Amino acid sequence: MRDTGVASDDDWRAYLTDLDKLREELRTFADVRDWDQFHSPKNLAMALSVEAGELLERFQWLSDAQSRALPPDALDAVSDEVADVLLYLIRLSDKLGIDPLAAAKRKLVTNDVKYPADKARGSSKKYTEL
Amino acid sequence: MRDTGVASDDDWRAYLTDLDKLREELRTFADVRDWDQFHSPKNLAMALSVEAGELLERFQWLSDAQSRALPPDALDAVSDEVADVLLYLIRLSDKLGIDPLAAAKRKLVTNDVKYPADKARGSSKKYTEL
Amino acid sequence: MRDTGVASDDDWRAYLTDLDKLREELRTFADVRDWDQFHSPKNLAMALSVEAGELLERFQWLSDAQSRALPPDALDAVSDEVADVLLYLIRLSDKLGIDPLAAAKRKLVTNDVKYPADKARGSSKKYTEL
Amino acid sequence: MRDTGVASDDDWRAYLTDLDKLREELRTFADVRDWDQFHSPKNLAMALSVEAGELLERFQWLSDAQSRALPPDALDAVSDEVADVLLYLIRLSDKLGIDPLAAAKRKLVTNDVKYPADKARGSSKKYTEL
């Protein structure tokens, strides 16, 4: 596609967002295991929270500076936890009919208004305190 | 593009993954606010965990069945929290040079091996107990 | 003491709350390991959150009914995570000069007002929605 | 009692651990509101995790040094969250028949063995890496 500007079938599939594709694969993954019975939004939100805790654990006791310069094995471990969070986020969104990208874009616009650059510059205060 | 099969500039931008675009927008968002100083991976992992807790709160005290049939206002609130988790996940990944989609795909393959369909079918056991 | 009504030295130590004693033991524990440098309230709040996630993990995928009837080994595992949360809670409180029992008692009074029995009966709504 | 060494009835109640008393009060609190139906261990573990997230939020974006020197209003807010975590921890323990103090004491002994002072001194490594 880069050369011709024309989308082949493969390109077309690529054009579908990667999140869409992961969503489909997760559906199949759950279907063939008959796991839909466990995948209530409540349970998926729990699972996501558990994974967020495991991600957090990777930074436990590290200084800020250390967390900015992870050695390769620590980085791999963090990647794994990032993956788990993302997979549950996609699955939860799917079960609820939420488009996570659209939600994120909307939120970014909201945050842009909540935190005007001139007021928020260099400050870590919550918008309610700016 | 759907009609012609030819990618315009806009389409081309669309062809870049949406996560990539969100990553860029989050960079700009932090840059203009001089927030990089706060965005250590450690702090971002904390922020993500806080948001995962807020997401979880939306399901607190609900039954499984209730969580599968959220009323519109509850669904909007959940969408907002999903957005927050995704935004911090993208930002954290960016600061660490992690590709979250690639990590998720790798993890899905790992999970496929860990949880063989015939063994895992209808079971919520951890792979270590299958 | 039960017989005489008179507190011996041992009884007196018993009279000090168990939380106070745990607090002292945790201080010693950290001191002899030179861990005070890691035990900032921020880091301890992170550690507590990680342990809360591990506690939550023990209930992942369980039904409500299953969670009310844990087999002995699962109960032991939950006890261990409860212990971790409590230890970090005591340690965090100590570093901040918070009396967790007094705080809990105050909160119980607040909750009693927030959730009047006649309005809250049988409802899982948040007080803001009662 | 401090003067006479003799326990009055009130003292005797005081002699019962404060955690025991809070447990009893939480039972009554839930009973009169008919909340036992919501207080499955699974739901209580979720609630505890949500509160741990709110506690964590109080330290978000703070430096280590800032977290060691909270202003009074921030300290009050942290106290409130500490209280919430403790109340759910007591309630969860009660529903499962766990003695949280006994569990914490056992864990402290375990940790003492896991982290020998001479090896762990000044190190934030996990015991598996010491």
Side-chain angles (χ1 to χ4, degrees):
Chain A
M1 185 170 177
R2 283 174 181 282
D3 295 329
T4 64
V6 179
S8 70
D9 278 1
D10 274 359
D11 285 332
W12 190 251
R13 186 168 146 75
Y15 186 81
L16 293 176
T17 76
D18 283 315
L19 288 189
D20 290 339
K21 279 183 281 176
L22 273 174
R23 186 193 62 212
E24 299 305 314
E25 288 175 37
L26 283 170
R27 273 188 206 175
T28 305
F29 192 91
D31 276 352
V32 299
R33 285 165 182 80
D34 193 18
W35 279 1
D36 233 55
Q37 56 185 314
F38 306 119
H39 284 191
S40 66
K42 177 179 174 175
N43 279 351
L44 291 166
M46 271 181 70
L48 189 154
S49 196
V50 168
E51 298 300 338
E54 294 184 4
L55 176 59
L56 189 60
E57 190 186 6
R58 299 299 172 173
F59 297 98
Q60 218 176 349
W61 314 125
L62 297 190
S63 69
D64 258 36
Q66 287 172 322
S67 84
R68 291 182 193 262
L70 295 180
D73 58 336
L75 194 58
D76 283 350
V78 168
S79 288
D80 251 29
E81 304 300 348
V82 162
D84 284 331
V85 172
L86 183 55
L87 291 172
Y88 280 124
L89 196 72
I90 294 169
R91 183 75 179 140
L92 171 65
S93 298
D94 187 24
K95 299 303 287 185
L96 289 172
I98 291 172
D99 177 341
L101 280 172
K105 285 175 194 168
R106 276 195 307 271
K107 195 61 189 277
L108 205 49
V109 173
T110 308
N111 286 347
D112 204 41
V113 175
K114 269 186 184 170
Y115 294 93
D118 58 330
K119 281 197 183 172
R121 190 165 297 120
S123 163
S124 63
K125 285 188 183 163
K126 204 167 177 176
Y127 68 95
T128 46
E129 297 166 7
L130 280 179
Chain B
M1 183 170 176
R2 284 176 181 280
D3 295 331
T4 64
V6 179
S8 69
D9 278 2
D10 275 358
D11 284 333
W12 190 251
R13 187 167 145 73
Y15 186 81
L16 293 176
T17 77
D18 283 314
L19 286 189
D20 289 340
K21 279 183 281 175
L22 273 174
R23 186 193 63 212
E24 299 305 315
E25 288 175 36
L26 282 170
R27 272 189 206 174
T28 304
F29 192 91
D31 275 353
V32 299
R33 284 164 183 81
D34 194 17
W35 278 1
D36 233 54
Q37 56 185 313
F38 306 118
H39 284 191
S40 67
K42 177 179 174 175
N43 279 351
L44 292 166
M46 271 181 70
L48 190 153
S49 196
V50 167
E51 298 301 337
E54 294 185 4
L55 176 59
L56 189 60
E57 191 187 5
R58 299 298 173 173
F59 296 99
Q60 218 176 349
W61 314 125
L62 298 190
S63 69
D64 258 35
Q66 287 172 322
S67 84
R68 290 182 194 261
L70 295 179
D73 57 336
L75 194 58
D76 283 351
V78 168
S79 289
D80 251 29
E81 304 300 348
V82 162
D84 284 331
V85 172
L86 183 55
L87 291 172
Y88 280 123
L89 197 71
I90 294 170
R91 183 76 180 138
L92 171 64
S93 298
D94 188 24
K95 299 303 286 185
L96 289 172
I98 291 172
D99 177 343
L101 280 171
K105 286 175 195 168
R106 276 196 306 270
K107 194 63 189 276
L108 205 49
V109 173
T110 309
N111 286 347
D112 204 41
V113 175
K114 270 186 184 170
Y115 294 93
D118 58 331
K119 281 196 182 173
R121 191 165 296 121
S123 164
S124 62
K125 283 188 184 163
K126 204 167 177 177
Y127 68 95
T128 46
E129 297 166 6
L130 281 178
Chain C
M1 184 170 179
R2 283 175 181 279
D3 295 329
T4 65
V6 179
S8 70
D9 278 2
D10 274 1
D11 284 333
W12 190 252
R13 187 168 145 75
Y15 186 81
L16 293 176
T17 76
D18 283 316
L19 287 188
D20 289 339
K21 280 183 279 176
L22 273 174
R23 185 193 62 211
E24 300 305 314
E25 289 176 36
L26 283 170
R27 272 189 206 173
T28 305
F29 192 91
D31 275 353
V32 300
R33 285 165 183 80
D34 193 19
W35 279 0
D36 233 55
Q37 55 185 315
F38 306 120
H39 284 191
S40 66
K42 177 179 174 175
N43 279 352
L44 291 166
M46 272 181 69
L48 190 153
S49 195
V50 168
E51 298 301 338
E54 293 184 5
L55 176 59
L56 189 59
E57 189 185 6
R58 299 299 172 173
F59 296 99
Q60 219 176 350
W61 314 125
L62 297 191
S63 70
D64 258 35
Q66 287 171 322
S67 84
R68 290 182 194 262
L70 296 179
D73 58 335
L75 193 58
D76 283 350
V78 169
S79 288
D80 251 29
E81 303 301 349
V82 162
D84 285 331
V85 172
L86 183 55
L87 290 172
Y88 279 124
L89 196 71
I90 294 170
R91 183 77 180 139
L92 171 64
S93 299
D94 188 24
K95 300 303 286 184
L96 289 171
I98 291 173
D99 177 342
L101 280 172
K105 286 175 195 169
R106 275 196 307 271
K107 195 62 189 276
L108 205 48
V109 173
T110 308
N111 286 347
D112 204 40
V113 175
K114 269 185 184 170
Y115 295 93
D118 58 330
K119 280 195 183 172
R121 190 165 296 119
S123 163
S124 63
K125 284 186 183 165
K126 205 168 178 176
Y127 68 95
T128 45
E129 296 166 8
L130 280 179
Chain D
M1 183 170 179
R2 283 175 181 279
D3 295 329
T4 65
V6 179
S8 69
D9 278 4
D10 274 0
D11 285 333
W12 188 252
R13 187 168 145 73
Y15 187 81
L16 292 176
T17 78
D18 283 315
L19 287 189
D20 290 340
K21 279 184 282 176
L22 273 175
R23 186 193 62 213
E24 299 305 315
E25 288 175 35
L26 283 170
R27 273 189 206 174
T28 305
F29 192 92
D31 276 352
V32 300
R33 285 164 182 81
D34 194 18
W35 278 1
D36 234 55
Q37 56 185 314
F38 306 119
H39 285 191
S40 66
K42 177 178 174 175
N43 279 352
L44 291 166
M46 271 181 70
L48 190 154
S49 195
V50 168
E51 298 300 337
E54 294 185 5
L55 177 59
L56 189 60
E57 189 186 6
R58 299 298 171 172
F59 297 99
Q60 218 177 349
W61 313 124
L62 297 190
S63 69
D64 258 35
Q66 288 172 321
S67 84
R68 290 182 194 261
L70 295 180
D73 58 335
L75 194 58
D76 283 350
V78 168
S79 288
D80 251 30
E81 304 300 348
V82 163
D84 284 332
V85 172
L86 183 55
L87 290 172
Y88 280 123
L89 196 71
I90 294 170
R91 183 77 180 139
L92 170 65
S93 299
D94 188 25
K95 299 304 286 185
L96 289 172
I98 290 172
D99 177 341
L101 280 172
K105 285 175 195 169
R106 276 196 306 271
K107 195 61 189 277
L108 205 48
V109 173
T110 309
N111 286 347
D112 204 41
V113 175
K114 270 186 184 171
Y115 294 93
D118 58 329
K119 280 196 183 172
R121 189 165 296 122
S123 163
S124 62
K125 284 188 183 164
K126 204 168 179 176
Y127 68 95
T128 45
E129 295 166 8
L130 280 178

